[in-house]
Amino acid sequence: MTSSYHRCLSSEKFIDTFYKFFLAKSEEVAQKFIATDFDHQKLMLRESLLMMVMFSRDPVGVRDEMAKLAKRHDRTGVDIPARLYALWLDSLCEAVQEHDPEFSEDVGHKWRAAMEPGIDFIISKH
């Protein structure tokens, strides 16, 4: 999965592709990003993806950073409800499939497995 992560993030359009898919998933998602500075948001997503990969491997090592990420997404932050994370993960995996030349069903499963602990943590703090 780490190799796929690097292949995807080396693609200039990976993050743009993710947001194209994610914003098209629902009007609710699109509304959450209506006033977003996407240059900044893209950098934050890159950092968040790395943090979530690290969290899946060593939850203790990045727990404080994950807690900050969860706080930004909770009811007092941008208020992202649990139901939107499935759309987020689907969009991410669609972008991976488009940008990883070595994508396979197994790679897609590994991405999901790597993201799920972080998603579960964020949802638990909502």
Side-chain angles (χ1 to χ4, degrees), residues 90-105:
D90 289 346
S91 301
L92 180 64
C93 290
E94 289 169 19
V96 169
Q97 184 172 359
E98 190 165 310
H99 288 274
D100 182 352
E102 297 179 34
F103 182 84
S104 66
E105 190 173 313

Side-chain angles (χ1 to χ4, degrees), residues 42-104:
K42 289 175 196 178
L43 291 173
M44 288 179 57
L45 179 61
R46 285 178 166 276
E47 290 175 5
S48 296
L49 289 174
L50 176 58
M51 192 181 323
M52 291 181 70
V53 168
M54 292 169 59
F55 187 75
S56 73
R57 294 177 176 194
D58 179 17
V60 175
V62 294
R63 188 169 185 85
D64 290 344
E65 291 302 314
M66 283 298 296
K68 290 175 190 174
L69 182 62
K71 184 72 176 154
R72 282 196 305 269
H73 290 82
D74 74 8
R75 286 179 180 87
T76 64
V78 293
D79 192 21
I80 306 300
R83 68 183 171 278
L84 297 184
Y85 288 95
L87 300 178
W88 182 91
L89 186 54
D90 289 346
S91 301
L92 180 64
C93 290
E94 289 169 19
V96 169
Q97 184 172 359
E98 190 165 310
H99 288 274
D100 182 352
E102 297 179 34
F103 182 84
S104 66

